[in-house]
Amino acid sequence: MSKLENRVAVVTGAGRGIGKAIAERFASEGAKVAIISRTEANSQSAAESINSKYPGLAKGYAVDVSDSVAVLALGKQIIADFGSVDILVNNAGVTRDGLALRMSDEDWDVVLDTNLKGAFNLVKAFQRSILKSKCGRIINISSVIGLIGNAGQCNYAASKAGLIGFSKSLAREFAGRAITVNAICPGFIQTDMTHVLNEQQKEGILKSIPLGSFGEASDIAHTAAFLASDEARYITGQSIAVDGGMVM
Ligand code: NAP
């Protein structure tokens, strides 16, 4: 039997990049997957692409994860469509980089509201269902930047460090029901988010990676699939860096 057979997973930011790779990997292990992204077009095309390989397992939904009212309503819709939810992956994230001295309130708020409050909104929408599950999992996609900080990313670093504290607290709150909550801290993964960096920036980052290459979305997806599986039942409250050795 596949690792995630008969499980229902919700993955945010799954319209492309890391989230899409996680959703596809979960489907490859037999899970049904609710694909959430900000835009209808990306969520639908990701669901179609996954269904073309794993028929009937994916369904796409569009919502802004920072909108708590809309997320609660979508949560009800997803529970109605799938019956229950076992696994939640909070992966939706944005950057609005700039030095702290010059950062606008808006750039601070958008990043914190999406990356951190968004995860809280999703947990509120699905916690009842996950707490009833015999194999409940919450996986929050943080970042190595949440561990070490980065000049020009104080908003992003605060949101990602916040996700680590959030994960540890939830891990303690949900442990009594054998629900595990962990964070994954990706290093530099080749997606649209990192595509915007110039060659000089990329070369600088490459020098800081002991394994000598950038990561792929599938590297994060494999880790998420392991954390979601029964094999990881005794791992909770952890922040796992998947970064080619950048942070150790
Ligand atoms: P990406 O390619 O930019 O994709 C971001 C995804 O998040 C998209 O599907 C987007 O939806 C969705 N999204 C953004 N804002 C949203 C909102 N308000 N509501 C709902 N969905 C929203 O990013 P990525 O590189 O795959 O990154 C995924 C996660 O990994 C992020 O949390 C990021 O911080 C983290 N991470 C990435 C790296 C890296 O090197 N790439 C490193 C460390 C951590 P649409 O497709 O509809 O626009």
Side-chain angles (χ1 to χ4, degrees), residues 131-240:
L131 282 166
K132 281 191 215 144
S133 170
K134 296 211 158 41
C135 42
R137 301 279 188 266
I138 298 175
I139 300 166
N140 295 317
I141 306 300
S142 175
S143 168
V144 289
I145 303 304
L147 297 170
I148 58 173
N150 194 21
Q153 288 198 305
C154 69
N155 50 357
Y156 185 76
S159 73
K160 295 300 185 178
L163 273 179
I164 292 171
F166 178 59
S167 304
K168 289 181 181 180
S169 301
L170 282 187
R172 291 183 188 277
E173 289 185 23
F174 293 172
R177 302 276 187 96
I179 311 299
T180 71
V181 186
N182 292 289
I184 297 175
C185 299
F188 186 106
I189 309 297
Q190 303 198 81
T191 67
D192 292 346
M193 186 176 268
T194 46
H195 189 63
V196 294
L197 298 178
N198 63 40
E199 285 311 311
Q200 202 185 349
Q201 288 170 309
K202 285 184 190 170
E203 269 172 36
I205 293 167
L206 198 54
K207 283 191 190 129
S208 70
I209 304 174
L211 284 180
S213 61
F214 297 133
E216 305 286 340
S218 57
D219 293 315
I220 308 306
H222 295 317
T223 310
F226 168 65
L227 287 174
S229 75
D230 291 341
E231 290 163 358
R233 65 166 196 96
Y234 205 56
I235 301 174
T236 197
Q238 302 306 305
S239 310
I240 300 171

Side-chain angles (χ1 to χ4, degrees), residues 12-20 36-43 63-66 90-95 114-115 141-145 156 160 163 184-194 217 220:
T12 70
R16 54 201 161 96
I18 292 171
K20 185 179 172 193
I36 296 179
S37 83
R38 189 175 29 191
T39 61
E40 185 78 36
N42 286 356
S43 65
V63 80
D64 179 345
V65 295
S66 68
N90 284 306
N91 165 79
V94 291
T95 52
T114 305
N115 300 5
I141 306 300
S142 175
S143 168
V144 289
I145 303 304
Y156 185 76
K160 295 300 185 178
L163 273 179
I184 297 175
C185 299
F188 186 106
I189 309 297
Q190 303 198 81
T191 67
D192 292 346
M193 186 176 268
T194 46
I220 308 306

Side-chain angles (χ1 to χ4, degrees), residues 22-62:
I22 292 172
E24 185 165 337
R25 181 75 171 80
F26 282 7
S28 78
E29 294 289 351
K32 291 186 188 143
V33 193
I35 309 278
I36 296 179
S37 83
R38 189 175 29 191
T39 61
E40 185 78 36
N42 286 356
S43 65
Q44 293 308 334
S45 81
E48 275 167 30
S49 136
I50 291 170
N51 282 331
S52 69
K53 292 182 194 156
Y54 310 103
L57 289 186
K59 191 165 166 46
Y61 303 87

Side-chain angles (χ1 to χ4, degrees), residues 67-104:
D67 181 341
S68 57
V69 175
V71 169
L72 269 187
L74 179 66
K76 286 188 185 136
Q77 179 66 52
I78 290 174
I79 302 270
D81 290 347
F82 288 89
S84 59
V85 167
D86 306 288
I87 304 161
L88 169 63
V89 181
N90 284 306
N91 165 79
V94 291
T95 52
R96 290 277 188 100
D97 297 350
L99 294 174
L101 267 175
R102 287 199 284 271
M103 184 169 290
S104 66

